[in-house]
Amino acid sequence: MNKISRLKAAGSRSVDEITGGRRLRRMRKADWSRRLVQENHLTVDDLIWPIFIIEGRNTREPIAAMPGVFRLTPDLAVKEAERAARLGIPAIATFPNVDMKFRDQTGSHILDADNIINRVTRAIKDAVPEIGIITDAALDPFTSHGHDGILRDGIIVNDETVEQVAAAAVLQAAAGADIIAPSDMMDGRIGAIRDALDANGFSDVAIMSYATKFASAFYGPYREAIGTSGLLKGDKKTYYIDHANSDEAVREAEQDLAEGTDMLMVKPGLPYLDIIRRLKDEFQMPTFAYQVSGEYSMIKAASANGWIDGDKVMMESLLAFKRAGCDGILTYFAPQVAEMLKGR
Ligand code: PBG
């Protein structure tokens, strides 16, 4: 007698006795039955596509740490927005790589109505009015030190930054932005932006707060993309949330809702699914995740090495956001995913 049958002889129960006949594999047996009981779905309606913008004409600059992602000149950004609209992607989010000559200690160029971000918004609105445009009102692409706020004597000054961010939001709305998404994490920015938008006739412009933005190393490739990696001294721990904290993230979201945000965002994405679930359960508000640059790059790098199936991991990671409670995801994979979903 071998070991197994000896154990059985000793009187172990049958599987049916153990499970009470409840066999969970029953519904997994075929593609049709798996599709029938599938709980969460990813569709093109879930996608927001972040794109990088640079001055010039007819040029797409590769970003070394983000294979397949480019800095686009305004004319090409318009073309890509047209492609996104054709694919059915609801919205794009723009991030500028600002010419060094326009960066200064206070990020003053964000208050130029004709800066690259506002020009691109106008051009896209003009050519593709049906796509939603999300702009970031944070100062980091415009500061000479890469911080999201005004830096004085080694301190990011909160209230003065909020004033500037709110003024920038009004200019972005005037250029045609549909959603202002401030990523700077200054206290009071949501309420100040809401007031400023309303006072200037933009009460229909929405706010998507980066409510829970964590101090994270996953932003590395993004800083190469917008050219802040060489500039940034120190870290952003005095304004982003400590990534060890979860209750604090709920308090941040609660505060932003009280100040008037229409939507919540969790950033980074995949390592923070617990936060997404908590916010969705707690507030039942439109909730988004930002699958950030480092998450994108990790999938691309492992895939390029043949270590994972990149397409499958991409789709699995995005569905995980839906399962966690997301209504949508900002992802650099957006056009690729939209193409794949179309092909189904
Ligand atoms: C800063 C900002 C960051 C990202 C977008 N805006 C983080 C940072 O540079 O600290 C990250 C986006 C990404 O990593 O994809 N306001």
Side-chain angles (χ1 to χ4, degrees), residues 140 148 183 213 219 222-223 236 240 267 292-293 332:
D140 57 301
D148 298 19
S183 72
K213 183 170 188 182
Y219 307 142
Y222 169 90
R223 293 179 187 170
K236 300 191 176 185
Y240 293 174
K267 178 182 181 182
V292 299
S293 56
Y332 300 102

Side-chain angles (χ1 to χ4, degrees), residues 50 52 66 95 136-141 146-148 182-185 210 213-214 216 218-223 226 228 232 236 239-240 267-268 290-296 332:
F52 296 109
M66 300 180 76
F95 296 95
D136 186 356
L139 303 185
D140 57 301
H147 278 292
D148 298 19
S183 72
D184 55 278
M185 293 298 284
Y210 286 65
K213 183 170 188 182
F214 292 87
S216 168
F218 283 94
Y219 307 142
Y222 169 90
R223 293 179 187 170
I226 67 157
T228 57
L232 189 65
K236 300 191 176 185
Y239 43 105
Y240 293 174
K267 178 182 181 182
Y290 198 142
Q291 183 177 49
V292 299
S293 56
E295 299 175 68
Y296 173 88
Y332 300 102

Side-chain angles (χ1 to χ4, degrees), residues 180-232:
I180 307 297
S183 72
D184 55 278
M185 293 298 284
M186 296 301 126
D187 285 330
R189 74 209 189 288
I190 300 300
I193 290 172
R194 188 68 270 159
D195 286 355
L197 289 174
D198 292 350
N200 286 277
F202 299 112
S203 53
D204 58 343
V205 171
I207 300 176
M208 177 188 284
S209 87
Y210 286 65
T212 70
K213 183 170 188 182
F214 292 87
S216 168
F218 283 94
Y219 307 142
Y222 169 90
R223 293 179 187 170
E224 181 200 326
I226 67 157
T228 57
S229 38
L231 304 175
L232 189 65

